[in-house]
């Protein structure tokens, strides 16, 4: 490795350079040339301004390089002899002019034996002069870049030595091109508002932002910088414009002569202060923060940085104004970069300095950014509102990426439909592969550099508790959205869909500071294992319990400090997007949670393939689960948890409590319209009670009210979407065709919407389609078994490729234990059904998937976790967790309650 040395031997075969220029860019060129081994024999730059040296002079003087600060090189067109002689005395072999605002005489340009090279901010000969990079944007060029050319006596007309180019993005500004190429000074220019919108946009971005284009707004000069387009707001007069502008939540909306809209993000006052355009009519008063001791210490470190930049100011006090003290655009860049280096937890942009120009306001802004308290103010939501269920619901409908709601990159949308009547609720952003990539990038950045994974676990738990509280505050709104988007009966949506979601976040909030490292002593050193899954997790959820599945999959992920990208089901995206809004209000840092609605084939597939995702959780069908597992293995061997299809058996013995067996048996099938992953897909009823059982079930079905799910007296709402309803009707037709007895239902209800009659089939034989395949709807499939044939019915119940849930009804506790131990399912219900709890692990095996949601689980290749619930007439027994080895040679129990 080569090290810098000042010895003459080091400079052998290297050039002696004179650097003529200024600014941070000149400083960067100087530093890089020295790193390459060239000797800078003299730096020629501008005089100090307000007692403050140019950045190029600062670094050169620090290195001991001779620095000359000539105010000019010529007078009345003639070189100043003493200036030229001072230059010649340094003995340069090449002049390098990275950015020079002075006129340099030709006898200086031609003096070195290798001449002079100049850096220029455009692709010559397209634009010439100091503001070339501005004109690149003003003219709407598709390419920008810079040129290095040999100086001559013309205006940027010498032979070109090197060129580098880059594409110009539609919303590029001078500021973004600064960061990639040069640091030109920029120019001030008033915008002619009587032009088409695109021309105005190009003009503003071409002067953005040092110091930028300006217009007279509300009778005063305001500097402008732009991004995108937008909606409604409060009118404001703009001189020369064809119509008034609008102050909207997303900024200032200007209109060109063609009537098209243009969004201006920030406004800058003549005194240099910048504000978000959306805050133009807002009071400037904000509550002052009380700083902690650590924050006060940091404030003093920042004061030292300010003092280093504003060296002409005797002391930095709270009222010191950065720009009124002589700071220029190059100082803004220096301040931001120094803070990034010394206070890496906070990412600032140049515009943040313009928005907080005094030291006190800058510290307040910086601390708010450090605490994450400025995020709610930045959130802009284009709600869809509906007056329904005696309230006004406000629904976000765009992708949620990096803490912001925004349209899909290609602008595509799709309709989400209310299954009660088939009407369109709203249009929702249809995410693309590019949107997934942006979401993953945001999640990775939040994990690698954001506060989420680094914060104290108790603080993380506090935020999750706050999120649960906000969900509870909005539970009626969430339940209403869930009802109109998924068809869930409102009372069920309130209690289960939303209620259990709240419980889940509270449960895992409590785990945040209890996730411990396990230490295994071995011969040489301890082996440690952490509970963290990785960094970026992907979650793909189904449409039957949109919010609850989001909570089940994401709460544990967040508690462990991971970040996530979540794809809601295409047909039920709205509660996930409302949830995203609440995460911002709860203070969850940006990028931690990202929601990308869209198709499984596009969005879900990209998540499976993405190399930066390390774990993927999926709930859905077995065929799709297999495809996801394959893609995750091929891409980067992601860890996968899958909750897939089921055909859960429910065995009803003749010694059961008949009232309970009828009530719970119906619940096992018709709960949530049968759109329930653990639904009893097949009932086995002992022969001696079969006919009575069916008669009583049909009697109860006839009492069920089918109708509007928002009606509190409704028992049975619509199926989730039209395609699913059609599949259910086809499923019943196949059952009839194969010879099963259709006792009740089997048809679509004759009314608007996607309603299916509760259905009952009997005489179902083991080989039939409906005996083997899941309906995922309100279809009861019943088979008889001979009295006393316990082992026979067990064999039939286990004769399935699925193993998600199962159940048994009997008053005989010995029979209950015998059967439950032998049922091959992740959950066994005894004398009850559908009783899940956030503290109990949930999941299946065989082709129902692997991995567990909820509870505290330890998973390895040697064990299967099975959950048992017992209720009997003579005792109440709950065995909350049984851990059974493969082949089940023993059983251990915990939480036994008698």
């Amino acid at each position: 490795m080569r090290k810098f040395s000042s010895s003459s031997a080091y400079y052998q075969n290297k050039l002696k350079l004179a650097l003529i220029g200024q600014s941070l860019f000149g400083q960067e060129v100087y530093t890089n040339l020295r790193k390459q081994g060239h000797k800078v024999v003299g730096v020629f730059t501008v005089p100090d301004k307000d007692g403050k040296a140019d950045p190029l002079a600062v670094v050169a003087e620090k290195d001991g390089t001779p620095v000359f600060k000539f105010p000019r090189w010529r007078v009345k067109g003639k070189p100043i002899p003493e200036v030229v002689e001072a230059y010649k005395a340094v003995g340069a072999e090449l002049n390098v002019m990275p950015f020079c605002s002075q006129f340099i005489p030709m006898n200086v340009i031609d003096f070195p034996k290798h001449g002079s090279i100049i850096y220029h901010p455009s692709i010559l000969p397209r634009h010439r002069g100091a503001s070339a990079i501005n004109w690149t944007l003003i003219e709407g060029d598709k390419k920008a870049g810079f040129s290095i050319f040999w100086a001559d006596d013309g205006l940027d007309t010498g032979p070109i030595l090197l060129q580098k180019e880059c594409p110009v993005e539609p919303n590029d500004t001078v500021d973004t091109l600064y960061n990639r190429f040069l640091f030109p000074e920029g120019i001030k220019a008033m915008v002619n508002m009587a032009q088409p919108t695109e021309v105005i946009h190009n003009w503003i971005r071409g002067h953005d932002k040092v110091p930028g284009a300006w217009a007279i707004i509300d009778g005063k000069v305001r500097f402008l910088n732009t991004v995108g387009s937008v909606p409604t707001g409060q009118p404001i007069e703009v001189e020369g414009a064809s119509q008034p502008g609008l102050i909207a939540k997303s900024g200032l909306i200007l209109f060109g002569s063609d009537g098209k809209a243009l969004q201006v993000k920030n406004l800058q006052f003549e005194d240099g202060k910048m504000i978000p355009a959306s805050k133009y009519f807002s009071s400037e008063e904000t509550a002052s923060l009380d700083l902690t001791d650590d924050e006060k210490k940091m404030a003093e470190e920042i004061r030292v940085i300010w003092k280093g930049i504003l060296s002409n100011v005797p002391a930095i006090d709270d009222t010191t104004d950065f720009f009124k003290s002589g700071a220029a655009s190059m100082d803004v860049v220096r301040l931001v970069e120094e803070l990034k280096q010394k206070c890496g937890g906070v990412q600032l942009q140049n515009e943040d300095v313009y928005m907080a120009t005094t030291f006190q306001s800058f510290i307040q802004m910086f601390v708010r950014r450090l605490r994450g308290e400025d995020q709610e103010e930045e959130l802009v939501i284009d709600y869809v509102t509906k007056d329904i269920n005696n309230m006004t619901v406000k629904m976000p409908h765009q992708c949620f990426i990096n803490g912001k709601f925004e349209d899909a990159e290609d602008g595509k949308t799709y309709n989400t439909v209310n299954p009660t009547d088939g009407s369109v609720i709203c249009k929702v952003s249809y995410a693309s592969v590019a949107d997934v990539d942006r979401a993953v990038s945001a999640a990775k950045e939040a994990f690698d550099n954001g506060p989420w994974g680094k914060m104290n676990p108790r603080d993380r738990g506090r935020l999750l508790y706050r999120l649960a509280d906000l969900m509870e505050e909005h539970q009626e709104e969430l339940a209403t959205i869930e009802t109109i988007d998924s068809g869930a009966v409102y009372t069920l949506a309130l209690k289960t869909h939303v209620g259990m979601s709240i419980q889940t976040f509270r449960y895992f909030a409590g785990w945040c500071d209890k996730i411990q490292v396990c230490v295994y002593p071995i011969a040489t050193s301890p082996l440690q294992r952490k509970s963290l899954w990785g960094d970026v997790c992907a979650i793909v959820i189904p449409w039957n319990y949109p919010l609850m599945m989001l909570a089940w999959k994401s709460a544990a992920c967040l508690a462990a400090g991971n970040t996530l990208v979540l794809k809601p089901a295409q047909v039920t995206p709205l509660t996930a997007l409302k949830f995203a809004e609440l995460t911002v209000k709860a203070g969850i840092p940006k990028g931690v949670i990202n929601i990308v609605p869209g198709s499984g084939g596009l969005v879900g597939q990209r998540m499976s393939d993405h190399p930066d995702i390390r774990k993927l959780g999926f709930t859905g069908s077995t065929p799709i689960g297999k495809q996801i597992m394959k893609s995750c293995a091929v891409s980067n061997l992601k860890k996968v948890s899958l909750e897939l299809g089921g055909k859960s058996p429910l065995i009803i013995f003749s010694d059961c409590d008949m009232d309970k067996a009828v009530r719970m048996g119906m619940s096992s099938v018709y709960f949530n319209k049968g759109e329930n992953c653990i639904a009893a897909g097949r009932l086995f009823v002992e022969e001696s009670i079969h006919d009575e059982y069916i008669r009583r079930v049909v009697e109860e079905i006839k009492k069920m009210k089918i109708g509007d799910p928002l009606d509190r007296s409704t028992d049975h709402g619509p199926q989730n979407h039209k395609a699913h309803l059609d599949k259910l009707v086809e499923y019943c037709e196949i059952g009839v065709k194969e010879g099963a007895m259709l006792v009740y239902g089997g048809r679509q209800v004759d009314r608007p919407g996607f309603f299916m009659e509760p259905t009952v089939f009997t005489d179902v034989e083991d080989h039939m389609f409906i005996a083997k395949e899941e309906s995922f709807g309100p279809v009861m499939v019943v088979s008889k078994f001979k009295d006393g044939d316990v082992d026979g019915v067990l064999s039939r119940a286990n004769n399935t490729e699925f193993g998600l849930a199962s159940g048994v009804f009997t008053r005989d506790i010995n029979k209950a234990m015998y059967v439950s131990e032998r049922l091959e399912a992740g959950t066994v219900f005894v004398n009850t059904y559908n009783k899940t709890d956030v503290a109990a692990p949930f999941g299946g095996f065989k082709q129902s998937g692997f991995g567990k949601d909820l509870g505290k689980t330890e998973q390895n290749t040697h064990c299967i976790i099975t959950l048992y619930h017992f209720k009997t007439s003579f005792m109440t027994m709950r065995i909350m967790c049984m851990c059974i080895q493969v082949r089940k040679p023993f059983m251990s129990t915990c939480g036994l309650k008698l």
Side-chain angles (χ1 to χ4, degrees):
M1 180 177 177
R2 297 177 65 184
K3 295 183 178 179
F4 180 79
S5 169
S6 59
S7 67
S8 58
Y10 178 79
Y11 290 110
Q12 195 171 13
N13 301 320
K14 296 292 184 178
L15 291 171
K16 295 179 179 179
L17 306 177
L19 212 68
I20 305 175
Q22 63 198 73
S23 80
L24 282 169
F25 180 68
Q27 180 191 85
E28 185 178 337
V29 171
Y30 167 85
T31 302
N32 284 329
L33 289 173
R34 281 173 55 85
K35 283 181 179 178
Q36 292 168 17
H38 300 293
K39 184 172 184 178
V40 179
V41 294
V43 166
F44 299 84
T45 187
V46 293
D48 295 352
K49 181 180 179 182
D50 297 324
K52 193 157 63 72
D54 182 85
L56 173 58
V58 171
V59 69
E61 288 172 339
K62 185 177 179 181
D63 291 335
T65 301
V67 176
F68 303 84
K69 302 177 182 179
F70 300 132
R72 61 188 63 82
W73 290 70
R74 59 184 189 175
V75 176
K76 296 182 179 179
K78 294 184 178 180
I80 301 173
E82 54 270 30
V83 172
V84 173
E85 288 305 313
Y87 159 75
K88 290 181 178 180
V90 301
E93 298 171 336
L94 174 71
N95 291 333
V96 178
M97 303 165 69
F99 176 71
C100 183
S101 60
Q102 298 174 312
F103 287 98
I104 309 300
M106 283 307 299
N107 58 340
V108 171
I109 298 258
D110 294 336
F111 177 78
K113 67 178 181 180
H114 296 300
S116 301
I117 59 172
I118 300 179
Y119 290 56
H120 183 80
S122 84
I123 303 175
L124 289 171
R126 173 64 175 153
H127 299 294
R128 304 184 186 279
S131 299
I133 196 169
N134 302 74
W135 286 103
T136 297
L137 296 173
I138 292 168
E139 293 291 316
D141 291 359
K142 302 301 181 186
K143 290 183 179 180
F146 69 86
S147 304
I148 300 176
F149 65 95
W150 297 104
D152 65 357
D153 59 356
L155 181 64
D156 310 332
T157 57
I160 293 172
L161 176 62
L162 294 169
Q163 286 188 323
K164 183 177 181 180
E165 64 180 40
C166 75
V168 177
E169 301 298 330
N171 288 320
D172 256 334
T173 65
V174 171
D175 197 47
T176 60
L177 292 177
Y178 281 171
N179 295 332
R180 279 186 270 171
F181 297 99
L182 297 175
F183 298 81
E185 286 298 298
I187 55 176
K188 295 182 182 180
M190 183 175 181
V191 183
N192 176 7
M193 303 301 294
Q195 300 181 93
T197 301
E198 185 177 358
V199 175
I200 297 173
H201 173 64
N202 287 338
W203 184 268
I204 295 174
R205 72 190 182 108
H207 296 83
D208 179 14
K209 29 180 108 111
V210 198
W214 57 272
I216 296 178
I217 298 174
D218 208 19
K220 297 178 182 178
V221 173
R222 302 285 183 257
F223 293 102
L224 312 171
N225 74 311
T226 69
V227 293
S229 62
V230 188
T232 58
Q234 189 173 346
I236 188 170
E237 289 299 321
V238 180
E239 187 174 297
S242 58
Q243 64 186 88
L246 298 170
I247 298 294
K249 289 182 179 179
S250 52
L252 166 66
I253 312 304
L254 298 176
F255 298 92
S257 59
D258 53 6
K260 293 181 180 179
L262 168 74
Q263 176 189 334
V264 175
K265 183 180 178 184
N266 298 316
L267 294 175
Q268 187 176 14
F269 297 87
E270 289 177 276
D271 63 2
K273 183 177 180 181
M274 185 183 287
I275 63 167
S278 61
K279 304 293 184 186
Y280 184 79
F281 289 125
S282 302
S283 168
E284 295 185 12
E285 296 298 320
T286 56
S288 179
L289 297 176
D290 291 327
L291 306 190
T292 65
D293 290 341
D294 286 343
E295 289 165 349
K296 289 176 181 177
K297 183 179 178 182
M298 186 175 292
E300 291 309 308
E301 293 174 358
I302 296 173
R303 193 188 303 272
V304 172
I305 295 173
W306 274 52
K307 177 60 180 172
I309 296 171
L310 305 175
S311 56
N312 56 310
V313 177
I316 305 296
D317 58 34
D318 287 349
T319 61
T320 301
D321 188 287
F322 194 69
F323 296 101
K324 289 180 180 178
S325 299
S329 59
M330 63 188 72
D331 300 308
V332 173
V333 177
R334 176 180 168 184
L335 176 59
V336 169
E337 293 304 315
E338 279 201 61
L339 285 169
K340 283 181 182 178
Q341 188 178 52
K342 296 180 181 179
C343 308
V346 177
Q347 297 295 313
L348 294 183
Q349 303 298 324
N350 292 357
E351 65 191 44
D352 294 322
V353 183
Y354 291 99
M355 292 182 183
T357 59
T358 66
F359 183 74
Q360 183 180 35
S361 63
F362 185 85
I363 292 299
Q364 292 280 310
M365 176 275 296
F366 187 87
V367 172
R368 282 194 170 90
R369 186 68 54 84
L370 186 66
R371 295 180 182 179
E373 293 182 4
D374 59 344
Q375 296 193 31
E376 184 175 348
E377 295 180 1
E378 296 176 357
L379 185 66
V380 176
I381 307 177
D382 180 23
Y383 289 113
V384 172
T385 60
K386 282 192 179 296
D387 293 320
I388 192 169
N389 201 25
N390 299 316
M391 68 181 77
T392 299
V393 295
K394 299 166 69 176
M395 299 174 285
H397 61 97
Q398 298 164 292
C399 300
F400 182 73
I401 299 174
N402 203 28
K404 295 180 181 179
F405 286 101
E406 52 193 27
D407 293 336
E409 189 169 280
D410 56 13
K412 288 185 178 180
T413 61
Y414 69 95
N415 294 333
T416 188
V417 173
N418 184 342
T420 302
D421 57 10
S423 63
V424 174
I425 302 170
C426 64
K427 290 187 176 297
V428 176
S429 293
Y430 188 79
S432 65
V433 168
D435 295 312
V436 177
D437 290 346
R438 288 191 299 116
V440 174
S441 177
K444 185 167 177 57
E445 174 65 21
F447 183 86
D448 291 340
N449 300 313
W452 186 247
K454 301 178 181 68
M455 72 170 58
N456 184 300
R458 288 179 184 170
D459 291 335
R460 192 159 61 240
R462 179 176 51 82
L463 293 179
L464 292 182
Y465 276 124
R466 186 186 301 170
L467 175 58
D469 290 344
L470 283 166
M471 292 172 70
E472 189 168 53
E473 287 176 27
H474 291 262
Q475 61 182 333
E476 288 87 0
E477 185 179 21
L478 286 166
T480 301
I481 296 171
E482 189 95 333
T483 296
I484 65 174
D485 204 25
S486 76
V489 172
Y490 176 75
T491 50
L492 179 66
L494 189 63
K495 179 182 182 296
T496 301
H497 289 234
V498 178
M500 196 170 186
S501 300
I502 295 166
Q503 292 172 20
T504 302
F505 274 100
R506 285 193 174 134
Y507 175 81
F508 282 105
W511 270 111
C512 285
D513 61 353
K514 300 171 187 69
I515 299 173
Q516 299 171 350
V517 175
C518 297
V519 182
Y520 298 92
I522 60 175
T524 53
S525 62
L527 173 67
Q528 296 185 344
R529 192 180 77 187
K530 271 193 169 180
S531 313
L532 220 60
W533 285 333
D535 48 4
V536 179
C537 299
I539 296 172
V540 181
I541 57 175
W543 42 258
N544 58 326
Y545 294 103
L547 186 63
M548 194 172 80
M549 289 296 99
L550 177 153
W552 283 25
K553 296 289 185 187
S554 65
C557 170
L558 295 170
N562 299 290
T563 59
L564 63 89
V565 179
L566 182 142
K567 190 198 90 66
Q570 185 172 344
V571 291
T572 54
L574 295 181
T575 42
L577 294 172
K578 186 67 180 180
F579 168 82
E581 175 193 345
L582 298 181
T583 67
V584 178
K585 291 182 177 180
I588 306 293
K590 68 177 183 179
V592 171
I593 296 170
N594 303 273
I595 312 287
V596 279
S599 73
L602 197 68
V603 175
Q605 186 62 51
R606 178 54 181 160
M607 291 163 74
S608 302
D609 294 335
H610 203 292
D612 288 334
I613 290 173
R614 295 297 175 183
K615 182 180 188 297
L616 189 146
F618 170 75
T619 296
S621 72
T622 298
I624 299 300
K626 289 178 179 179
Q627 177 60 43
I628 285 175
M629 188 174 176
K630 180 180 178 181
S631 298
C632 288
V634 170
S635 58
N636 62 343
L637 208 62
K638 294 175 181 64
K639 184 173 182 179
V640 181
S641 61
L642 304 172
E643 196 243 284
L644 307 176
K647 189 67 175 175
S648 301
L650 174 59
I651 303 172
I652 301 174
F653 288 99
S654 59
D655 62 351
C656 69
D657 179 331
M658 181 63 81
D659 290 340
K660 182 181 288 186
V662 170
R663 186 174 68 254
M664 290 293 182
M666 290 182 65
S667 173
S668 74
V669 175
Y670 304 127
F671 189 81
N672 200 47
K673 311 114 50 180
E675 295 167 355
N676 187 20
C677 53
I678 58 173
R682 192 173 181 195
L683 274 67
F684 295 91
V685 181
E686 201 158 9
E687 192 169 27
S688 60
I689 64 166
H690 175 273
D691 293 349
E692 182 189 357
Y693 186 84
I694 297 301
R695 179 183 60 78
R696 291 183 60 171
V697 165
V698 172
E699 284 179 0
E700 293 302 316
I701 289 175
K702 290 177 180 178
K703 299 175 187 176
M704 292 172 66
K705 180 178 178 180
I706 301 172
D708 182 0
L710 288 172
D711 185 335
R712 305 310 192 262
S713 63
T714 294
D715 298 300
H716 189 76
Q719 304 308 136
N720 187 275
H721 52 282
K722 182 64 164 61
H724 182 51
L725 173 64
D726 293 341
K727 284 183 180 180
L728 288 173
V729 172
E730 182 185 7
Y731 184 92
C732 292
E733 290 172 350
I734 293 172
V736 172
K737 226 177 258 186
E738 288 191 330
M741 175 68 72
L742 178 61
V743 176
Y744 194 89
R747 298 182 301 272
Q748 180 177 354
V749 179
D750 185 18
R751 59 168 292 158
F754 311 142
F755 291 84
M756 178 74 182
E757 293 178 335
T759 299
V760 179
F761 277 101
T762 61
D763 297 337
V764 178
E765 298 178 13
D766 294 352
H767 67 274
M768 292 180 178
F769 176 83
I770 63 173
K772 295 186 292 185
E773 297 299 324
E774 182 180 29
S775 71
F776 212 66
V779 182
M780 182 179 284
V781 176
V782 184
S783 299
K784 296 178 188 177
F785 68 94
K786 291 181 179 180
D787 290 351
D789 188 11
V790 176
D791 290 326
V793 74
L794 269 171
S795 176
R796 294 172 69 190
N798 288 330
N799 186 23
T800 173
E801 276 299 300
F802 302 104
L804 189 56
S806 60
V808 55
F809 278 81
T810 177
R811 284 190 171 97
D812 184 341
I813 188 64
N814 293 318
K815 187 189 295 181
M817 291 295 294
Y818 181 87
V819 172
S820 60
E821 286 178 17
R822 287 160 178 78
L823 282 170
E824 298 171 357
T827 298
V828 179
F829 298 106
V830 180
N831 293 331
T832 187
Y833 211 88
N834 287 323
K835 300 297 182 183
T836 54
D837 189 276
V838 295
F842 178 91
F845 45 94
K846 297 198 284 190
Q847 292 201 44
S848 288
F850 49 80
K852 298 288 181 180
D853 294 323
L854 307 178
K856 181 190 177 185
T857 62
E858 289 292 334
Q859 302 175 50
N860 55 57
T861 58
H862 303 292
C863 105
I864 297 165
I865 296 174
T866 303
L867 176 69
Y868 295 82
H869 292 273
F870 288 82
K871 284 188 181 178
T872 75
S873 58
F874 51 85
M875 68 171 66
T876 299
M877 178 186 296
R878 288 187 182 177
I879 301 176
M880 294 307 296
C881 178
M882 289 190 177
C883 188
I884 302 174
Q885 275 194 337
V886 176
R887 307 304 301 174
K888 303 183 181 179
F890 71 89
M891 178 188 303
S892 64
T893 67
C894 60
L896 185 63
K897 180 180 179 183
L898 295 177

